[in-house]
Amino acid sequence: MNFTENFQKRSASAQCRCCDRVGLDPVLDLGEMPPSDRILTKDQLGDEERAFPLDVGFCPECSLVQILETVDPEFLFGKDYMYFSSFSQAWLDHCRSNALDLIERRELNSTSLVVELASNDGYLLKNFVEKGVPVLGIDPAPRQAAAAEKIGVPTLNKFFSERVATELAEEGKTADVIIGNNVLAHVADTHGFVEGIRILLKPDGIAAIEAPYIRDLVDHCEFDTIYHEHLCYFSLTAVDHLMRRHGLYLNDAKRLPTHGGSMRYYIGKREEPSEALKIMMEEEREIGIDKRDYYEDFANRVQTIRAELSKLVTRLKREGKRIVAYGAAAKGTIMLNSVGLDSSVIDYVVDRNVHKHGWFMPGVHIEILPVERLLEDQPDYVVLLPWNFKEEILEQQSEFRSLGGKFIIPVPEVRVV
Ligand SMILES: [Zn+2]
């Protein structure tokens, strides 16, 4: 892979978000991309849209894979943030089983406290509330925090930080369990966030932190999960480094199928690594997750997917086929923009999230419509953008498919079903 001079320069001058080393190895350059979740109203289509470099580096010191650019979090997650977690049944089920497992494993009751960082619309904490376990959600997005309060989940409408943790601890609020799903990778102040966990956690408390697993990302070529909101791409090795810097210990971990492959990291204040963890960390060393070589052909495989998807859609369009897309979420923004599929080739994008209907995808400016549109309109091909919910979506669309509708699945390799 030949990297541009600019990318090489940016990598060489970048500082690692975990160990502070200056100088990262270049891994992948996706070019300038709009913020992936920042959908637009019709009126905004004429305005100039902001775009930022989206490129990835690897730290040879602590093994952390990370994007080089940090976009202002207020801009990404503030008042215009539109992501509501509760729109996928599979994700809701996943959260429920996590909650029930923690209640049993940690023997939680009415005297416990469960705190969730980035609690979104309260869909996860609700499971604890139903079992009589006190909770506190913390989330900076006002609409989601309001939605959580509405279903009985007390929520602090703030960015979690060292300061917020200190304030809560001073009020006597410390946590038996801290949950953070898909948030550790999102925070710009990684150290403040982890230090906050240390402050908020009771001495024998446990933090259960989920994040997409770099091994799945690389092995299955899930490059569209790389976006400005995801600053870090963790391995056990990298999390172990990060926690130790804050007097916390990675003690256990569990691989999960969510988001194309994630890891749940169990973290505590005493070092007591499980046998399973030791085995998984040894595996990481064996496949070389801490070495530059492991990431070497990743960028080439990404190029192949981009080229093949572009070729296929262009050919189908030339044949007069009508093509739409499914899933107006972040990875859809990255896939469509990085392949250059805009409203001249994709008629519209359907999505289950009613809050997004009538809005437009960032960058490519494709309108977002309800999912029911597929059956009414019966287009020829649907590019399936949230491939992590592939089974669920294909099942839901069995009628559309039985009438001849086809899905194009781009990852891990382009295919039509
Ligand atoms: Zn580092």
Side-chain angles (χ1 to χ4, degrees):
M1 194 77 191
N2 292 322
F3 298 119
T4 63
E5 201 176 314
N6 182 40
F7 181 32
Q8 290 183 41
K9 262 192 205 155
R10 283 169 56 79
S11 303
S13 63
Q15 186 173 32
C16 176
R17 296 172 189 275
C18 175
C19 73
D20 302 333
R21 173 197 162 98
V22 175
L24 303 178
D25 290 338
V27 171
L28 177 68
D29 183 6
L30 289 169
E32 298 256 322
M33 288 278 144
S36 64
D37 263 319
R38 206 175 180 79
I39 56 175
L40 308 163
T41 63
K42 195 166 196 166
D43 291 342
Q44 288 171 325
L45 293 181
D47 299 348
E48 200 193 325
E49 197 177 356
R50 292 177 72 183
F52 305 89
L54 186 56
D55 43 13
V56 183
F58 164 74
C59 176
E61 195 76 39
C62 73
S63 308
L64 183 64
V65 174
Q66 52 205 287
I67 66 166
L68 306 183
E69 187 81 9
T70 304
V71 180
D72 178 13
E74 279 295 339
F75 180 70
L76 288 179
F77 302 112
K79 65 180 170 57
D80 293 327
Y81 188 54
M82 289 295 286
Y83 181 69
F84 284 79
S85 302
S86 59
F87 280 88
S88 160
Q89 193 54 47
W91 178 246
L92 292 181
D93 294 344
H94 166 80
C95 289
R96 182 170 173 75
S97 77
N98 182 22
L100 296 178
D101 176 59
L102 282 166
I103 290 171
E104 195 184 303
R105 208 206 261 234
R106 308 298 297 181
E107 298 177 348
L108 302 176
N109 56 43
S110 61
T111 64
S112 312
L113 179 65
V114 177
V115 177
E116 189 187 5
L117 316 177
S119 47
N120 202 275
D121 50 14
Y123 60 95
L124 189 154
L125 288 178
K126 194 168 161 276
N127 295 298
F128 291 96
V129 173
E130 283 168 5
K131 298 283 180 190
V133 179
V135 301
L136 178 67
I138 303 176
D139 198 288
R143 293 179 218 213
Q144 287 78 350
E149 288 277 352
K150 227 181 202 169
I151 57 164
V153 174
T155 302
L156 202 55
N157 184 208
K158 281 184 179 172
F159 275 102
F160 178 69
S161 64
E162 194 174 338
R163 215 183 77 198
V164 169
T166 305
E167 283 166 11
L168 287 169
E170 280 168 0
E171 288 171 32
K173 286 182 187 158
T174 49
D176 296 273
V177 172
I178 297 177
I179 299 173
N181 287 345
N182 302 306
V183 58
L184 179 62
H186 294 60
V187 289
D189 179 12
T190 310
H191 289 301
F193 189 86
V194 177
E195 191 58 23
I197 291 177
R198 192 189 61 76
I199 293 166
L200 190 60
L201 202 61
K202 284 183 183 164
D204 59 347
I206 189 173
I209 307 290
E210 285 178 29
Y213 187 36
I214 183 73
R215 191 172 165 185
D216 291 307
L217 190 160
V218 169
D219 290 356
H220 308 135
C221 215
E222 300 166 355
F223 71 98
D224 55 348
T225 61
I226 295 170
Y227 33 83
H228 296 108
E229 289 88 335
H230 288 171
L231 300 166
C232 300
Y233 301 84
F234 290 106
S235 56
L236 296 161
T237 308
V239 168
D240 186 58
H241 271 277
L242 176 61
M243 294 305 153
R244 282 176 191 277
R245 281 183 65 119
H246 294 273
L248 292 169
Y249 298 94
L250 173 61
N251 286 328
D252 198 8
K254 187 179 178 189
R255 279 186 91 162
L256 304 164
T258 46
H259 297 287
S262 297
M263 190 68 90
R264 184 183 295 145
Y265 302 96
Y266 292 101
I267 291 146
K269 289 189 167 174
R270 282 188 299 272
E271 186 170 10
E272 39 198 11
S274 70
E275 282 310 306
L277 178 77
K278 289 181 197 163
I279 291 167
M280 282 191 284
M281 288 196 66
E282 182 52 36
E283 256 178 50
E284 284 196 351
R285 270 188 292 278
E286 276 166 17
I287 61 167
I289 230 164
D290 55 346
K291 301 283 187 307
R292 171 75 185 84
D293 289 358
Y294 180 68
Y295 306 93
E296 198 116 304
D297 79 330
F298 173 57
N300 289 320
R301 287 184 287 130
V302 171
Q303 283 308 88
T304 305
I305 289 183
R306 290 164 78 182
E308 283 184 2
L309 182 60
S310 168
K311 211 169 83 187
L312 174 65
V313 170
T314 308
R315 176 173 63 78
L316 293 171
K317 193 76 191 167
R318 222 176 23 234
E319 290 169 3
K321 301 286 194 259
R322 285 193 316 122
I323 307 160
V324 305
Y326 188 115
K331 60 169 67 66
T333 299
I334 300 303
M335 183 62 76
L336 296 172
N337 280 281
S338 73
V339 178
L341 302 177
D342 61 18
S343 56
S344 69
V345 277
I346 305 288
D347 293 354
Y348 51 84
V349 180
V350 297
D351 197 281
R352 287 177 72 188
N353 187 341
V354 293
H355 298 277
K356 293 183 177 180
H357 297 158
W359 293 61
F360 290 78
M361 292 292 280
V364 289
H365 294 185
I366 304 168
E367 190 173 11
I368 304 163
L369 300 173
V371 172
E372 291 70 34
R373 184 62 173 253
L374 288 185
L375 260 186
E376 295 159 16
D377 190 40
Q378 203 65 34
D380 300 301
Y381 288 87
V382 183
V383 183
L384 195 147
L385 299 169
W387 41 258
N388 48 322
F389 295 122
K390 171 175 81 219
E391 278 83 23
E392 186 180 346
I393 292 167
L394 291 179
E395 168 77 31
Q396 284 163 1
Q397 293 304 321
S398 52
E399 192 180 351
F400 167 74
R401 296 174 70 204
S402 71
L403 292 169
K406 290 202 160 36
F407 278 85
I408 300 170
I409 299 171
V411 169
E413 52 203 7
V414 179
R415 62 203 173 93
V416 176
V417 295

